[in-house]
Amino acid sequence: MASGFFALLDDIATLMDDVAAMSKITAKKTAGILGDDLAVNAEKASGFMSDREIPVLWAISKGSMINKIIILPIAFLLSYLLPSAIIVALVLGGLYLAYEGAEKIYEIFVPHHDAAHETLHSDMSEADILALEKVRVKAAIVTDFILSVEIVIIALGSVADEPLNIQIPVVSLIALIATVGVYGIVAMIVRMDEFGLKLINLNEQDNSFSDYVGRFLVGALPWVIKSLSVIGTIALLLVAGGIFVHNIHFFHDLLPQLPDIVKEFLVGLGVGLVVLAGVKLVMKVISLFKKK
């Protein structure tokens, strides 16, 4: 009986080692999309009233966790019943990532006014602020759902050849990191300016060390948000390109002389621009039919 108990412990330890090893590999493969998730959510969570930033982040985090609870069982069931569908879903997710990355670059060169994006104003009533806050939280949760699907599919694709007892804990761990880790970092970023102000008001001395650090943190916040947006866009195209290069033979054999990272970026950008052009064309045709 004792030997059976220790054999069980040994099996559990072996399983945990396998899960830890696969989680490390999967985390590397999802790092790009997690970086984009961080950039997108940092942008979505900024711009609220100072005393509402943490409640808003908490509301988005709860929505993100519910998203994962919905997505994970469906993904595991799909992986068990129809494993080949994971590759199809992975490529479709890659098309979306490539499109999103190409669209962000397109908007830099062809800027447009987003009428749907409404900002907070000091003359707004409390009811208006809360209503706008609710709309923006809902939009952030919808965006998180799309990113969560991509993260889970990419994570599941990296352990597709493993048994379910490895797939479930590995992908669940990555999903948990995608919520707790990402939103924890987002919380620190959006509160960076508040921490800077506290350092500035820490003492009554002018130009003290805390004043310099505080002013740096306050001034750095907009640059951090912008930098994350750029890094996130590059990460989107790299992840998308990696999906195409590793799952489609045509792209795998294309430009073998280039370093992998350059090839993946160019493939992601190229596919993204094609998809973007297709979407723009379809939208233009639809608008022409509506005018008739």
Side-chain angles (χ1 to χ4, degrees), residues 127-257:
D128 290 337
I129 290 173
L130 291 176
L132 178 57
E133 180 182 297
K134 189 175 180 180
V135 170
R136 290 177 63 179
V137 167
K138 192 173 181 179
I141 292 173
V142 171
T143 301
D144 177 271
F145 185 86
I146 297 170
L147 290 170
S148 295
V149 170
E150 294 164 359
I151 290 167
V152 168
I153 293 298
I154 291 172
L156 200 52
S158 66
V159 291
D161 297 330
E162 301 296 327
L164 270 178
N165 64 337
I166 298 293
Q167 288 184 10
I168 292 174
V170 168
V171 178
S172 298
L173 180 60
I174 296 299
L176 184 64
I177 292 172
T179 297
V180 177
V182 166
Y183 284 102
I185 296 172
V186 169
M188 289 191 290
I189 290 173
V190 299
R191 298 299 289 176
M192 191 168 74
D193 56 343
E194 284 297 315
F195 182 64
L197 288 173
K198 287 184 178 180
L199 286 177
I200 293 172
N201 297 325
L202 188 63
N203 56 64
E204 295 182 359
Q205 297 179 5
D206 292 329
N207 297 323
S208 64
F209 177 74
S210 62
D211 289 341
Y212 285 117
V213 175
R215 283 195 287 267
F216 172 78
L217 292 175
V218 171
L221 180 59
W223 291 101
V224 170
I225 299 293
K226 289 179 182 178
S227 299
L228 282 173
S229 180
V230 173
I231 293 168
T233 301
I234 295 171
L236 274 177
L237 295 172
L238 284 173
V239 171
I243 290 172
F244 301 138
V245 168
H246 294 119
N247 293 283
I248 300 175
H249 289 296
F250 172 78
F251 292 117
H252 184 271
D253 299 332
L254 189 67
L255 303 172
Q257 70 275 15

Side-chain angles (χ1 to χ4, degrees), residues 67-84:
N67 286 341
K68 307 297 191 302
I69 292 171
I70 294 170
I71 294 165
L72 284 171
I74 297 173
F76 293 137
L77 190 63
L78 191 64
S79 176
Y80 179 73
L81 296 176
L82 194 61
S84 59

Side-chain angles (χ1 to χ4, degrees), residues 41-167:
N41 285 303
E43 188 176 0
K44 293 280 185 183
S46 60
F48 293 97
M49 296 299 181
S50 177
D51 59 340
R52 296 297 302 162
E53 285 177 341
I54 295 302
V56 164
L57 269 175
W58 177 240
I60 299 174
S61 300
K62 287 190 293 184
S64 176
M65 190 62 72
I66 293 171
N67 286 341
K68 307 297 191 302
I69 292 171
I70 294 170
I71 294 165
L72 284 171
I74 297 173
F76 293 137
L77 190 63
L78 191 64
S79 176
Y80 179 73
L81 296 176
L82 194 61
S84 59
I86 296 299
I87 301 300
V88 175
L90 197 59
V91 173
L92 290 175
L95 289 173
Y96 176 79
L97 290 173
Y99 163 76
E100 194 177 43
E103 186 183 37
K104 288 182 179 181
I105 292 175
Y106 172 80
E107 288 177 353
I108 293 173
F109 294 99
V110 188
H112 66 283
H113 176 67
D114 187 0
H117 182 71
E118 190 178 356
T119 55
L120 295 171
H121 302 287
S122 58
D123 58 345
M124 293 175 69
S125 67
E126 185 177 351
D128 290 337
I129 290 173
L130 291 176
L132 178 57
E133 180 182 297
K134 189 175 180 180
V135 170
R136 290 177 63 179
V137 167
K138 192 173 181 179
I141 292 173
V142 171
T143 301
D144 177 271
F145 185 86
I146 297 170
L147 290 170
S148 295
V149 170
E150 294 164 359
I151 290 167
V152 168
I153 293 298
I154 291 172
L156 200 52
S158 66
V159 291
D161 297 330
E162 301 296 327
L164 270 178
N165 64 337
I166 298 293
Q167 288 184 10

Side-chain angles (χ1 to χ4, degrees), residues 1-13:
M1 184 174 177
S3 61
F5 175 73
F6 285 115
L8 177 62
L9 287 179
D10 184 60
D11 290 342
I12 293 172

